[in-house]
Amino acid sequence: MTMLSVAGARTKARARLNSSMAAWAAEGSGVVRLEIALKPPTEKQVLTDQAAAAEWAGSWRAAEETAIGWASPTAPGSVAGTRSGLEIDWEDRNWARVGRQRIPIRVRLTTADAVADFVGGESARDWRRLRDRAATIRDRFAAEPGSVEQIDADDPDGPGAGGTGDDDALAAAIRSQAKRILGLTDAAFTTVLDVVDWLRGHRLGTLRPRQLPIRGVDSKWFETHRSLVTALLGGIGHADAVTVLDAEPRLRLRILDPALRVTAEPAAPATGQAADISLAGLDDITAPISQLGRLPIAPQLVFVFENLESVLAMPAWPAAVAVHGSGYAVDGVARFDWIADARVIYWGDLDSHGFAILNRLRSHLPAVESVLMDEANLLAHRDLWVPEPKPSTGTFAHLTGTELRALDRIRAEGNVRLEQERIPWDTALNRLRTAVGNPTPSRLGEGEGDLGAGTRRGTETERLLGEGDDDDG
């Protein structure tokens, strides 16, 4: 027989509870509509096994009677006369050979609590904990509850499984962080709320997590709970308060021309002004982006490399600096005060993420040129390819035609990767010199007028970057 048992219906309801509890808790109305068809037997099926059919119908009568106890006055939070939230629809069937029979047709659950009561076990306990914590968050931060969309129990991924699309910001934050909220101990949950409450009410200035006057909260605590704290602060309109969680990103820079270094001490600043930064002869610097951006240098050429070893291997180069782009932190390069008048050349891994990083940098600095990121270079080093574990599947609006052809080939070959460090250094350096205009170490210190035509924008040598004229379309 195809009759759906009480256990089978619980399995369906459990799947819906697990998939929807985040939305239900976030929106807080408690009202849902979950209908499960019970697939009652036909007369022929009843005649085949009348005992099984009778037992099945009896099990649903027992389930209905049990549900009445969910709303009894003795149950916590119950009120006399309240409905349990579980309803079973019954129909009378008049069969010629079996006679008149009252058959359960469907079970309807109209509240999230009823779903949990029907399901029972760990899923029900998780629901109640998440429901109560979401209510605490809303009460603490004065959020208005939203509404829950009706759902179809036979389509676990259908409309309603994720809630409505008109949620307020705090409900969206609770929904996205439901798993983290549920996983906290009671003490940790209380601390999270205390931290969010404190951060929304204080101007932080330059405070670091170590300085916050909240017992038990330090940098390690923030490492564990930053996603939840960030989401809740954003949900209550205080996204700016999360700046305390992040140290300013740092980048590494090498000054390739000694003439760019400032060895004299900077002049004393005027009252209320920050002092200029002196390099004091340094040529390899790791510092916050804002400090690197204020260096008193004016390079004509800026190399940005994804791989640190390539930065460290760079020889002396007239009027040039080399920056470790540090992956997706590369857009910090655009914040350097002195980069606006420089020619910027990027070299990254020949893989989807290398092009994603280039695309990101070029979205801030449209004139960035790439080198060694073309199809010919990829194919010339086929024996050095490795698989790319988690390729980027995005589309990149800021790549040139040459770069897009290389990316298409990478994907066509099965998402391969040619790491820039695997390209022989002599090969890479020669391509860089050709792209820039063939500078040589012997010309160091001869003055800006002798840097070679290739260091100026608009020269013929720039076309060599892509191994031929580029069709940007």
Side-chain angles (χ1 to χ4, degrees), residues 140-159:
R140 181 82 171 260
F141 302 113
E144 293 294 330
S147 61
V148 175
E149 184 175 311
Q150 292 187 357
I151 58 178
D152 175 6
D154 290 326
D155 181 12
D157 298 318

Side-chain angles (χ1 to χ4, degrees), residues 165-471:
D166 298 324
D167 306 327
D168 68 293
L170 183 56
I174 294 171
R175 187 172 62 251
S176 68
Q177 297 294 314
K179 185 176 293 185
R180 290 187 173 92
I181 294 171
L182 186 58
L184 295 172
T185 65
D186 289 342
F189 176 67
T190 299
T191 302
V192 165
L193 297 190
D194 289 344
V195 168
V196 172
D197 208 2
W198 193 93
L199 288 174
R200 70 169 175 164
H202 292 78
R203 285 191 169 275
L204 300 174
T206 59
L207 284 182
R208 298 295 307 135
R210 182 68 180 85
Q211 298 171 279
L212 298 186
I214 305 173
R215 189 173 181 83
V217 174
D218 54 23
S219 299
K220 290 183 179 179
W221 189 93
F222 271 110
E223 288 175 11
T224 302
H225 301 95
R226 68 162 291 119
S227 295
L228 177 54
V229 171
T230 298
L232 292 178
L233 283 168
I236 61 175
H238 289 271
D240 56 331
V242 302
T243 55
V244 72
L245 307 183
D246 294 308
E248 184 181 355
R250 303 167 73 89
L251 292 178
R252 187 167 181 175
L253 175 144
R254 284 191 62 224
I255 298 175
L256 304 180
D257 185 349
L260 291 175
R261 302 172 205 158
V262 177
T263 57
E265 289 297 320
T271 302
Q273 293 183 348
D276 289 336
I277 298 174
S278 170
L279 300 186
L282 295 176
D283 62 3
D284 189 339
I285 307 164
T286 301
I289 291 172
S290 62
Q291 294 184 24
L292 290 179
R294 298 199 310 271
L295 291 178
I297 57 176
Q300 295 183 21
L301 181 63
V302 178
F303 295 105
V304 182
F305 297 156
E306 184 178 350
N307 180 267
L308 176 59
E309 285 300 318
S310 296
V311 172
L312 299 180
M314 284 294 286
W317 205 296
V321 299
V323 182
H324 179 215
S326 193
Y328 285 97
V330 70
D331 47 6
V333 173
R335 293 166 53 188
F336 295 161
D337 296 342
W338 39 262
I339 205 166
D341 296 324
R343 180 182 175 191
V344 182
I345 293 179
Y346 178 79
W347 174 30
D349 290 339
L350 265 168
D351 61 10
S352 63
H353 287 283
F355 282 108
I357 294 166
L358 169 60
N359 186 76
R360 183 165 180 162
L361 178 60
R362 199 175 274 151
S363 70
H364 299 281
L365 298 171
V368 169
E369 307 163 39
S370 70
V371 68
L372 292 154
M373 298 186 72
D374 54 86
E375 187 177 13
N377 188 51
L378 175 71
L379 297 177
H381 299 91
R382 180 185 289 268
D383 59 311
L384 302 178
W385 293 356
V386 295
E388 187 176 20
K390 295 181 179 180
S392 173
T393 58
T395 56
F396 309 123
H398 302 289
L399 298 185
T400 66
T402 295
E403 293 156 358
L404 286 171
R405 283 194 295 273
L407 178 58
D408 288 343
R409 173 56 71 96
I410 284 169
R411 290 171 170 168
E413 295 286 350
N415 292 308
V416 297
R417 163 188 286 170
L418 174 59
E419 296 167 309
Q420 64 178 155
E421 192 173 0
R422 296 176 67 85
I423 298 174
W425 181 243
D426 287 345
T427 299
L429 192 57
N430 286 336
R431 282 286 300 275
L432 289 168
R433 285 173 172 157
T434 300
V436 173
N438 198 32
T440 60
S442 63
R443 294 166 63 184
L444 267 175
E446 292 179 6
E448 293 183 356
D450 296 322
L451 293 176
T455 59
R456 295 185 291 274
R457 298 182 188 274
T459 64
E460 276 191 47
T461 57
E462 292 187 25
R463 293 200 301 271
L464 296 173
L465 292 174
E467 292 294 329
D469 288 340
D470 198 356
D471 52 342

